[in-house]
C-alpha cells in the first residue's frame, strides 16, 4: 500500500467535558490536559454547540445535569451525522446498574464513577482515544486506493452523493471531471507494469493537487481512469485543461503513443446546474460519453458540457 504519499498526521486529541459541576470539570481538565486539548461545557446545549463547530475525539459526559441530561445529550450526539460514531464516556454518581445499562444501550462507550479516581479516568479516556484512532485509520485506509494513495472509487461514490445533496441545499453548481490516460495499454506493454504503476501514481499525485477546497475530491475511478469532484466550480473546462496541460508538461516519455511523445490524458466533464435533482449515475454517464468523444477527436483534450 502506498499510502505514505498523503500522510494524515494525527493531531492532539480534543476531549470535551460536559458537566454542570465546575469542580468536576476543572479536575477532569487538569487530569487530561497533559495529553489532550480539553474543552468544557457546563450544560448539554452548550456541549452540543461546541460539537457542531469543533473536531472532538471523545466526550466525557455527566449523566445528571439540569435541563438536558446525559441521556438526552447522547441521543443528540448519536442522531447527528458528524458525531454518530463519537466515543462518549458517561460520568455517573449513581451506582445503579440500570443506569449503566440504559447508557450502554444508547451507545455510551464506557462509564466512570464519581468521585473520580484520576488514574482510572485517565486510563479509560486514553484507551478509548486509542480505539477511535485505530478505527479512523482503518476507515481512512479502506477509502484510499492502494496503488496511488488518493481516494478510491468507494469514497468517490460517497463524496458524490454528499456533494449532490449539498448542492441541493446551497444552490452551487457541481463540477465532475473524468480523465483517462491516453494509450495506457501501450505504455504498460512497452515500459512494463512497474513503470505503468509509477505513471499512475504520478498522474494521481498531480490530480490530487487540483482538489484544493474543502469539498473537492480527487479519486482513482478504476484502471487508468481518474475523477475530480469540484463543488461550486463554474470554470470546470479551464481547470480540466490546466490539468491536461500539467500532465503533458510533465514530459513522461511515451514512445508508443500515437498522440504525443509524452504521456497525455483526455477528459470529459459535466457541470451540474445549481439545485439540479440530477442523478449521479446520469451525470457520470454523460462525463463518460464526453471523455469518449475527446478520445475519438484525437486525445490530449477535454470536453465539457452543462448537464
Ligand atoms: Mg451533574
Amino acid at each position: 500500500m502506498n499510502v505514505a504519499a498523503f500522510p494524515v498526521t494525527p493531531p492532539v486529541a480534543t476531549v470535551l467535558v460536559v458537566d454542570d459541576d465546575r469542580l468536576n470539570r476543572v479536575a477532569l481538565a487538569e487530569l487530561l490536559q497533559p495529553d489532550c486539548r480539553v474543552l468544557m461545557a457546563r450544560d448539554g446545549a452548550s456541549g452540543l454547540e461546541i460539537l457542531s463547530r469543533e473536531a472532538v475525539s471523545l466526550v466525557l459526559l455527566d449523566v445528571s445535569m439540569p435541563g438536558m441530561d446525559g441521556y438526552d445529550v447522547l441521543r443528540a450526539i448519536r442522531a447527528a451525522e458528524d458525531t454518530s460514531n463519537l466515543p462518549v464516556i458517561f460520568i455517573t454518581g449513581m451506582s445503579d446498574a440500570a443506569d449503566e445499562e440504559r447508557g450502554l444501550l444508547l451507545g455510551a462507550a464506557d462509564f466512570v464513577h464519581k468521585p473520580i479516581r484520576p488514574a482510572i479516568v485517565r486510563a479509560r479516556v486514553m484507551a478509548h482515544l486509542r480505539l477511535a484512532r485505530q478505527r479512523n485509520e482503518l476507515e481512512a485506509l479502506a477509502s484510499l486506493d492502494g496503488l496511488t494513495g488518493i481516494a478510491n472509487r468507494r469514497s468517490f461514490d460517497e463524496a458524490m452523493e454528499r456533494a449532490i445533496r449539498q448542492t441541493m441545499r446551497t444552490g452551487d453548481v457541481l463540477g465532475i471531471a473524468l480523465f483517462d490516460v491516453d494509450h495506457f495499454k501501450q505504455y504498460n506493454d512497452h515500459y512494463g507494469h512497474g513503470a505503468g504503476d509509477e505513471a499512475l501514481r504520478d498522474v494521481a499525485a498531480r490530480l490530487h493537487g487540483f482538489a484544493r477546497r474543502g469539498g473537492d475530491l480527487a479519486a482513482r475511478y478504476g484502471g487508468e481512469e481518474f475523477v475530480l469532484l469540484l463543488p461550486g466550480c463554474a470554470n470546470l473546462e479551464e481547470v480540466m485543461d490546466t490539468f491536461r496541460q500539467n500532465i503533458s508538461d510533465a514530459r513522461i516519455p511515451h514512445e508508443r503513443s500515437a498522440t504525443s511523445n509524452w504521456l497525455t490524458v483526455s477528459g470529459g466533464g459535466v457541470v451540474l446546474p445549481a439545485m439540479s435533482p440530477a442523478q449521479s449515475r446520469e451525470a457520470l454517464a454523460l462525463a463518460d460519453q464526453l471523455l469518449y468523444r475527446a478520445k475519438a477527436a484525437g486525445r490530449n483534450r477535454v470536453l465539457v458540457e452543462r448537464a
Side-chain angles (χ1 to χ4, degrees):
M1 297 276 291
N2 174 44
V3 293
F6 306 103
V8 182
T9 318
V12 174
T14 299
V15 173
L16 171 65
V17 177
V18 186
D19 195 321
D20 60 315
D21 181 339
R22 189 184 156 274
L23 288 178
N24 233 356
R25 287 198 302 273
V26 171
L28 286 167
E30 278 176 4
L31 185 62
L32 298 171
Q33 238 142 18
D35 305 290
C36 312
R37 172 172 168 249
V38 181
L39 303 173
M40 290 185 273
R42 68 176 68 204
D43 57 54
S46 39
L48 291 173
E49 194 273 322
I50 289 173
L51 286 176
S52 72
R53 59 179 160 82
E54 295 274 352
V56 169
S57 303
L58 182 142
V59 181
L60 271 167
L61 180 58
D62 186 21
V63 170
S64 118
M65 295 182 290
M68 286 183 98
D69 67 11
Y71 300 113
D72 298 331
V73 177
L74 180 56
R75 236 178 258 116
I77 288 174
R78 289 289 166 262
E81 194 181 344
D82 287 346
T83 56
S84 59
N85 291 316
L86 186 64
V88 174
I89 299 179
F90 266 154
I91 312 164
T92 170
M94 299 165 285
S95 51
D96 189 344
D99 287 308
E100 294 204 1
E101 189 183 333
R102 189 175 164 208
L104 290 171
L105 285 173
L106 279 173
D110 212 339
F111 280 86
V112 294
H113 299 285
K114 290 180 188 175
I116 279 159
R117 284 182 292 167
I120 303 266
V121 173
R122 237 187 125 261
R124 295 222 167 136
V125 167
M126 290 308 151
H128 283 285
L129 284 175
R130 209 158 39 238
L131 280 174
R133 192 174 305 131
Q134 284 164 358
R135 196 167 49 234
N136 291 342
E137 281 168 7
L138 282 176
E139 271 169 20
L141 280 177
S143 68
L144 295 182
D145 173 56
L147 176 70
T148 62
I150 65 171
N152 62 18
R153 173 70 171 265
R154 196 189 85 171
S155 41
F156 166 75
D157 287 343
E158 287 168 8
M160 177 89 172
E161 294 303 326
R162 261 199 317 275
I164 286 184
R165 279 201 303 274
Q166 190 191 326
T167 59
M168 292 291 292
R169 284 197 305 270
T170 61
D172 280 340
V173 297
L174 175 62
I176 304 155
L178 275 182
F179 291 99
D180 189 87
V181 179
D182 295 326
H183 308 292
F184 188 66
K185 188 187 177 303
Q186 288 81 350
Y187 189 90
N188 262 337
D189 289 347
H190 185 62
Y191 296 99
H193 286 276
D197 288 352
E198 201 48 57
L200 291 179
R201 279 195 280 267
D202 196 346
V203 170
R206 287 167 187 277
L207 189 68
H208 187 74
F210 280 74
R212 296 192 183 103
R213 294 179 309 171
D216 295 358
L217 185 83
R220 186 172 178 211
Y221 197 62
E224 67 270 27
E225 225 175 352
F226 294 89
V227 64
L228 192 57
L229 191 64
L230 300 171
C233 177
N235 62 336
L236 185 66
E237 183 158 10
E238 196 183 320
V239 174
M240 287 181 68
D241 202 56
T242 306
F243 173 68
R244 180 203 60 76
Q245 188 69 48
N246 182 297
I247 295 297
S248 102
D249 287 349
R251 300 199 156 215
I252 302 163
H254 190 347
E255 283 181 26
R256 296 297 158 93
S257 168
T259 304
S260 159
N261 292 328
W262 320 108
L263 194 81
T264 57
V265 295
S266 301
V270 173
V271 180
L272 285 180
M275 309 302 280
S276 149
Q279 293 300 305
S280 52
R281 221 170 286 153
E282 289 163 18
L284 282 165
L286 177 55
D288 201 43
Q289 280 169 29
L290 290 163
L291 171 59
Y292 179 81
R293 278 170 44 198
K295 292 267 186 190
R299 295 181 171 83
N300 191 23
R301 69 194 63 207
V302 301
L303 281 178
V304 178
E305 274 184 17
R306 295 184 82 84

